[in-house]
Amino acid sequence: MPKRSLSPLHRATTHWSTSRRILVGTIVLTVLLAVAGFAAWFTGRGEQHAGGQAPSAPAARTPADSAPQPSAGTGSVPVPPKISDPLAYARASAVMLWSYDSRTTTRDQQLAGMNAWMTRETKYTDWTSISGQVPDPVLWSRMADNAQHATAAVGEAHFPSAFKQALAENPAALTEAYIYAVTVTGKQTIAWKDGGGGAEDRSVTLAVQCRPGSDCALVSIAPSVAP
C-alpha cells in the first residue's frame, strides 16, 4: 500500500469545495494585495456565513468550538511558543504543520494540538484551512497501522514581496488586526515501519497575528505560496 503523509498544501486544496476555495483565496488575496481592507473583510465574513453564502459553521463559533478538545492530551503536537515575532512564529508553525506521529497521537489529539496555535479572535481565524491539512479518520488510521510519522526542518521565512509593497503603501493598515503574511520553506522527512521513508521540500504562506504586547497566533494557510 502506498504511504501518504499529511497532505501538502497543493494536494489538500484539490479536494476542497468551491466555497472553501473562495473563502481561503479571499483571505490570502486580502492579506497580500489589500492590507488596508484585511480586517474589514474578516469582520464581514460572519455576515456572509449568516446569510448562507458558505456551508461552514456560523461565525460566532471559535476554533475551540469546532476542534476536538485536548482532554486526552495533544500527543506529539508541540505547544505554541510564546513569542511576538511573526517570522519566528511562522517558522515554528510550519514545523508544527509538517510534523506528526500517528504512533503516539490520535487524529483528535492532532487537531486539538493544532487548534492551540490559532488566534482566538473569532472574526479573523480560519480553522478550516488548518484542519484541512489533517487526513480523514480512515487515512489517519491506516497511517497509524503503518507507524507513519514525520519531522520537519525550516530553512527560511520571509514576508512576501506583495505584502511588503502593500504595507509600504499604507503602513497604518496593519494596525487594525496586526496580521502578517509569511512564506516559509523547509523539508519534511517521513518514515514508517519496515524502514520505509522519504523526504520532500515544503513551502507555505501563512497568515500570523502578532498584536503588540501579545504572543503571536496562527490565522490561516494560503491556498498557494506567495513569493
Side-chain angles (χ1 to χ4, degrees), residues 54-166:
S56 53
R61 299 184 67 182
T62 67
D65 294 324
S66 56
Q69 299 303 297
S71 58
T74 56
S76 63
V77 183
V79 175
K82 295 184 178 299
I83 51 179
S84 56
D85 178 359
L87 292 175
Y89 194 83
R91 287 168 58 93
S93 296
V95 171
M96 179 274 295
L97 290 167
W98 297 334
S99 304
Y100 61 91
D101 193 339
S102 65
R103 302 169 300 179
T104 62
T105 307
T106 67
R107 183 176 183 272
D108 280 354
Q109 287 176 326
Q110 184 75 22
L111 288 168
M114 294 167 69
N115 177 63
W117 290 66
M118 301 295 294
T119 178
R120 266 30 191 180
E121 295 189 35
T122 310
K123 62 183 178 180
Y124 302 128
T125 191
D126 179 25
W127 171 238
T128 57
S129 72
I130 306 300
S131 61
Q133 304 304 299
V134 180
D136 62 54
V138 173
L139 179 53
W140 187 272
S141 177
R142 292 176 180 172
M143 290 164 56
D145 291 341
N146 284 279
Q148 187 166 319
H149 53 287
T151 57
V154 169
E156 186 267 347
H158 68 272
F159 298 119
S161 57
F163 177 79
K164 291 190 293 184
Q165 179 179 349

Side-chain angles (χ1 to χ4, degrees), residues 14-38:
T14 61
H15 302 291
W16 289 1
S17 65
T18 300
S19 59
R20 187 171 175 186
R21 286 171 180 268
I22 292 173
L23 172 64
V24 179
T26 304
I27 293 170
V28 177
L29 288 174
T30 308
V31 174
L32 299 178
L33 303 178
V35 175
F38 189 81

